Amino acid sequence: MDILSQLLGRLHPLIVHLPIGFLILGVLLYWTDRKTKQYTGLLSTLFLWAGIVSVLACISGFLLYQNEGYGFDTVKGHLWFGIITAVFCFALYLKWKSDSIAVLQKVSFPIMMVLGLVLISITGHKGGNITHGEGYLTEPLPRGVKKALGIPVFEELPIALTEESWENADLYAEVVHPILNNKCVSCHGPKQAKGELRLHHMDDILSGGENGEVIMAQNPDGSELFTRVISPKDTDGHMPPKEKEQLTKEEVAVLKAWIEAGHPFDGSIASHGLDESLFEPFFPKDVEDFYPEATLSPLPLDSLRTVKETGLHVEYLSKDSPWLRVTAINKPGFSLTDTLALTPINDFIVELDLSHTEINDSIYPYLGHLPNLTVLNLGQTEVTDQGIEELSHLSHLKHLNLTRTGITSNLFEKLENFPSLQKVYVFGASLPSDGPKEVSKGLDVDYGGYTLPRIASDSIIY
C-alpha cells in the first residue's frame, strides 16, 4: 500500500497539468464559439473533466505531501487553492449545463472564466514555489524592479576574511552563517521551511526538522546537515537541489570543520583551533593585475544557468567581476562535445579546470577560442603537446597545468611563443629530471616532487 501511495503521489507533477489544459481549452473554445454556439455540449464536458482531474490532482498532491517530507506550512497555500480550483471547475460545469442554480445564473460566464484562469495561475505559482523555491518566477527581475513591486530582495552575505584578520573572525557569524544563508536559507529559512527545517537562526538549526536533529556535535558523518551536502548530486537526498547553486568544496570543508569543532555559535576561528588553510580560499584576491581588465557587459542569467545544468561548476571570481571560474570536478566524463554548452560564456572564462576528465588533444582548438583565459588546468588527462600551439595566441594565459599528462620535451620549445605564460606545471609527466627550470625569461617550469627535511620533532611520540 505504501508503494502505491508513493507512486500515485509522484504522478502529481503530471496530473496537475491536466486541469490547466482543460480550462484553457474551454476558454479558447468559448471565445471562438461565442456567436455560433456549436460546441455547447463539448464545453460542459471539458469543464466536467477539468473538475474530475482537479480532484485527482488534489489527491495525488496530498499523497506527495504525506510521503515526501514536505511541511504543511510549505504546501497549505497550494493545497487549498487546488481544492478551490477543483470546486470552481464543477461550478463552471453546472453554470453551463444547468439553469436550476439561481446563484450561478446571476454571474456572467466570461467573469467566471477569468476567475478560473486567476485561480489556476495562483495555484500553479504556489506549486512552482514548492518545486523551485520561493520567488521562482520573480527571481530574474532586476533588484530595482523587485523593490518597486514590494518583493523581498534576497541579500547574499559575503565572507569577509583577510590574511591579517581571519584568526579573530567569528567562526559561525562571519563564515558558517553566510554559507548557510547563501546556499540553504532560500528553502530552509523564515519564508519557507522544507521538511520543517529552518537554518537562518541558531535555535532553528538546533531544533532540526521533521526527522529530528540535523547536526551532531563532533560527528559530521552523523549530521544530516552535512551528509546531504556531500551525497551524490543525482540522489533524492542531496542538498541543495541540483538545479540550485551548490556549496563549493571549500565551503563543504568549513562546514565539516565547524561540526567537528562541536558546531559552536560563538567564538573566533583561532579559539577553536582551526587551520588557516581552511579559510585561505576566502581571502580577497587581487585580480586587477593578474586577470584581464573587465570590459564586458554583465552575463545574461540564462546563459549561466544553462551551463550549470550540464553539471559543470561555474562561479564568479568575485562579486563585482564578470569573470568566471569553470571546473569539471563533478563531471569526469567531460569531453570535446561538452564544450558546446560553454559557447555562450566563452568570453567570460578566465579560469578553466578540466583535470581528471576524458579530454585529449582535440580540445586545443576550442581552448584557443577563449580570449580571456588566464589559468588552465589539464592535469591527469590524455592531452599531449601535439597541437598545443593552438594556445599560443591567448594573450592572457599565465598558468598552465599539465601534470601527469603525455607531454614530451618538445613542449618547452613550443611554449617559447606564448606571450604571457608565467608558469607551467609538469609534475608526473615523462620528462627528464634535469630539464629546464626556466623556458624563457619570465616562464618557469614547476616539476613538483617537493620534500620536506626531517626535523627533531618528527620522531617525538606524544
Side-chain angles (χ1 to χ4, degrees), residues 54-304:
S54 292
V55 172
L56 293 176
C58 291
I59 294 172
S60 63
F62 182 77
L63 293 175
L64 185 67
Y65 150 67
Q66 289 285 310
N67 292 306
E68 300 297 328
Y70 291 99
F72 183 71
D73 287 342
T74 302
V75 304
K76 64 180 181 182
H78 179 57
L79 176 62
W80 283 117
F81 270 99
I83 294 172
I84 293 170
T85 302
V87 172
F88 188 81
C89 288
F90 287 114
L92 280 173
Y93 165 71
L94 294 173
K95 164 73 176 177
W96 194 261
K97 188 71 176 176
S98 172
D99 296 330
S100 60
I101 302 178
V103 175
L104 291 177
Q105 300 309 315
K106 293 179 181 180
V107 183
S108 167
F109 192 77
I111 291 177
M112 291 187 70
M113 299 286 274
V114 171
L115 183 57
L117 291 176
V118 170
L119 281 173
I120 62 173
S121 297
I122 295 174
T123 307
H125 175 66
K126 289 185 174 295
N129 285 347
I130 296 172
T131 305
H132 302 289
E134 189 73 27
Y136 175 69
L137 293 177
T138 58
E139 183 181 357
L141 295 176
R143 294 170 63 87
V145 174
K146 289 181 182 178
K147 290 181 178 180
L149 295 175
I151 300 172
V153 179
F154 174 75
E155 297 288 349
E156 284 201 5
L157 298 178
I159 299 178
L161 301 178
T162 66
E163 193 170 0
E164 294 77 24
S165 65
W166 71 272
E167 291 180 294
N168 296 322
D170 189 293
L171 175 59
Y172 173 75
E174 298 184 53
V175 186
V176 176
H177 176 59
I179 292 174
L180 297 177
N181 175 81
N182 300 343
K183 300 294 175 68
C184 307
V185 166
S186 62
C187 293
H188 302 284
K191 292 187 175 295
Q192 187 173 196
K194 288 187 176 181
E196 299 180 12
L197 174 64
R198 301 181 191 273
L199 298 173
H200 66 292
H201 190 271
M202 177 186 72
D203 293 337
D204 295 297
I205 296 173
L206 294 176
S207 297
E210 62 183 5
N211 295 325
E213 295 182 356
V214 295
I215 188 168
M216 297 178 63
Q218 300 174 338
N219 185 7
D221 293 335
S223 301
E224 191 174 3
L225 178 65
F226 180 72
T227 56
R228 283 182 174 265
V229 168
I230 63 172
S231 64
K233 192 175 179 181
D234 293 328
T235 58
D236 290 339
H238 176 81
M239 291 294 166
K242 62 182 180 180
E243 66 271 9
K244 291 183 175 290
E245 186 175 3
Q246 303 296 302
L247 275 72
T248 66
K249 61 182 180 181
E250 292 84 7
E251 291 171 337
V252 171
V254 167
L255 191 61
K256 180 180 182 181
W258 175 62
I259 297 174
E260 287 176 337
H263 61 74
F265 289 91
D266 54 30
S268 67
I269 293 174
S271 68
H272 297 295
L274 300 185
D275 191 81
E276 180 181 6
S277 61
L278 278 170
F279 306 95
E280 285 178 347
F282 303 99
F283 294 170
K285 299 176 178 61
D286 184 6
V287 301
E288 294 183 0
D289 296 330
F290 188 76
Y291 297 99
E293 182 180 354
T295 58
L296 296 175
S297 301
L299 186 69
L301 292 177
D302 287 345
S303 298
L304 202 58

Side-chain angles (χ1 to χ4, degrees), residues 379-381 401-407 425-432 446-450:
Q380 301 202 47
T381 64
N401 191 328
L402 296 170
T403 57
R404 300 188 185 280
T405 60
I407 56 175
Y425 300 88
V426 297
F427 173 72
S430 299
L431 296 174
D446 191 329
Y447 291 88
Y450 302 109

Side-chain angles (χ1 to χ4, degrees), residues 315-326:
E315 63 180 351
Y316 287 102
L317 287 186
S318 65
K319 182 178 180 180
D320 301 320
S321 172
W323 300 133
L324 297 176
R325 178 185 294 113
V326 180

Side-chain angles (χ1 to χ4, degrees), residues 385-399:
D385 47 57
Q386 295 297 315
I388 201 169
E389 299 92 337
E390 296 275 0
L391 310 183
S392 62
H393 65 279
L394 296 180
S395 58
H396 300 292
L397 184 61
K398 294 182 179 179
H399 286 185

Side-chain angles (χ1 to χ4, degrees), residues 341-357:
L342 294 174
T343 302
I345 65 170
N346 279 352
D347 292 349
F348 295 82
I349 299 175
V350 293
E351 289 192 13
L352 180 61
D353 183 356
L354 300 180
S355 60
H356 299 85
T357 63

Side-chain angles (χ1 to χ4, degrees), residues 354-366:
L354 300 180
S355 60
H356 299 85
T357 63
E358 297 179 0
I359 61 170
N360 52 39
D361 292 342
S362 63
I363 197 72
Y364 287 133
Y366 164 73

